[in-house]
Amino acid sequence: MKETDLIIMDLRQFLMCLSLCTAFALSKPTEKKDRVHHEPQLSDKVHNDAQSFDYDHDAFLGAEEAKTFDQLTPEESKERLGKIVSKIDGDKDGFVTVDELKDWIKFAQKRWIYEDVERQWKGHDLNEDGLVSWEEYKNATYGYVLDDPDPDDGFNYKQMMVRDERRFKMADKDGDLIATKEEFTAFLHPEEYDYMKDIVVQETMEDIDKNSDGFIDLEEYIGDMYSHDGNANEPEWVKTEREQFVEFRDKNRDGKMDKEETKDWILPSDYDHAEAEARHLVYESDQNKDGKLTKEEIVDKYDLFVGSQATDFGEALVRHDEF
């Protein structure tokens, strides 16, 4: 079986799973659908440096990667940290700024996105030239189903393809219909890129706007989250959402959400945890107080950034002394 056929099979399996999940969600009408894209927490640990640096380790490395450092000796941790610092220093001027550190933390927190892109890249860069054209993506994803005008599962693949092409063109900054790795990432995960936010809003509105008037009214807003299924008694959270729509979502009080109001709803301006953590790490490590870090300053304060057997052992000694 050709690789493209396998990809199409995977797509159909995904869509089948998606439809099953949708059916399951509708069978539980009290479960709320959340379309809001919040910035994830950097760690589920308490941020208290007087107690431990676990929060900082998770923030700087990502929770899974942070665990691997706990198995290393201090020397190994310092060596690996030094290599990471070289990656963080984007302009290679020998200093790590708050902005560079913030970008790194965002990358570390969203490593799964880049792993997903790598996996999909292999299936779509068919000629292995380090680029993915729209034709490659279309053929790999839709080639088989486009030959079948009436697929068995009844799903409108052509409509889905038109939507994908529109998003691909938005992600493709230079308009050559060929995506670099970064543009392909923006195509697959548009909510992560400022220049893609309009397409996220547009697609969301198209999903919810059932009468296609270009707005989301109250009943469409509620209908996207909740199915009555003949039940006249709405759960309390649905009543709260109705109040939220009237009081906060519909800012101009015209009874519906336009594009800007929808954007404020699904893409809120959250507190930037990554920037706050970057400033904290610089403040704690910046020995000469010049507002930026050298590799030496970071490695010297390595226990703030990464764990090791020594930091775990030190915490164990502290706990032992308390007894």
Side-chain angles (χ1 to χ4, degrees), residues 69-70 72-74 77 302 307-317:
F69 274 77
D70 293 338
L72 303 177
T73 66
S77 278
Y302 84 99
S308 73
Q309 292 169 352
T311 53
D312 285 349
F313 181 64
E315 288 169 14
L317 283 178

Side-chain angles (χ1 to χ4, degrees), residues 80-261:
R80 286 182 61 176
L81 176 59
K83 292 176 181 177
I84 291 173
V85 174
S86 298
K87 294 179 182 177
I88 299 172
D89 179 16
D91 57 11
K92 306 303 177 191
D93 66 349
F95 296 98
V96 170
T97 64
V98 168
D99 283 341
E100 286 173 332
L101 199 47
K102 179 182 74 172
D103 290 343
W104 168 260
I105 290 170
K106 286 182 179 289
F107 168 80
Q109 292 296 314
K110 295 172 180 175
R111 203 181 301 266
W112 67 271
I113 289 176
Y114 300 99
E115 290 170 355
D116 174 58
V117 171
E118 285 299 328
R119 181 179 60 79
Q120 296 211 45
W121 186 264
K122 293 172 184 175
H124 292 97
D125 181 14
L126 302 181
N127 63 3
E128 299 183 348
D129 65 346
L131 299 164
V132 172
S133 68
W134 167 246
E135 285 300 312
E136 281 180 308
Y137 181 83
K138 182 177 71 173
N139 291 334
T141 307
Y142 298 104
Y144 176 78
V145 294
L146 289 177
D147 294 332
D148 182 3
D150 188 23
D152 295 336
D153 54 19
F155 192 86
N156 192 335
Y157 292 101
K158 289 188 177 180
Q159 185 178 2
M160 185 176 173
M161 186 184 73
V162 169
R163 184 158 156 158
D164 270 357
E165 183 176 13
R166 183 181 64 191
R167 189 197 286 189
F168 193 98
K169 288 178 177 178
M170 179 74 76
D172 174 32
K173 285 185 169 182
D174 57 9
D176 61 359
L177 284 179
I178 299 173
T180 62
K181 184 74 68 71
E182 186 73 7
E183 289 169 336
F184 193 62
T185 304
F187 166 67
L188 293 176
H189 298 278
E191 68 282 353
E192 302 297 332
Y193 290 80
D194 284 339
Y195 81 99
M196 294 294 289
K197 287 184 176 178
D198 282 347
I199 203 75
V200 176
V201 175
Q202 184 175 358
E203 290 178 1
T204 302
M205 293 190 76
E206 287 171 352
D207 289 342
I208 303 174
D209 177 21
K210 299 305 181 187
N211 64 7
S212 301
D213 67 348
F215 299 93
I216 298 174
D217 62 36
L218 176 57
E219 293 312 312
E220 288 169 334
Y221 174 79
I222 295 297
D224 182 60
M225 304 177 186
Y226 171 73
S227 174
H228 283 273
D229 274 356
N231 184 4
N233 296 320
E234 290 182 342
E236 198 60 38
W237 69 260
V238 177
K239 296 175 183 175
T240 301
E241 283 297 338
R242 288 185 182 277
E243 294 169 3
Q244 289 282 318
F245 183 94
V246 173
E247 295 296 324
F248 302 107
R249 309 275 183 252
D250 177 21
K251 291 180 167 55
N252 63 5
R253 301 290 195 273
D254 65 352
K256 55 195 176 183
M257 286 196 295
D258 58 23
K259 184 177 178 180
E260 283 306 310
E261 289 167 333

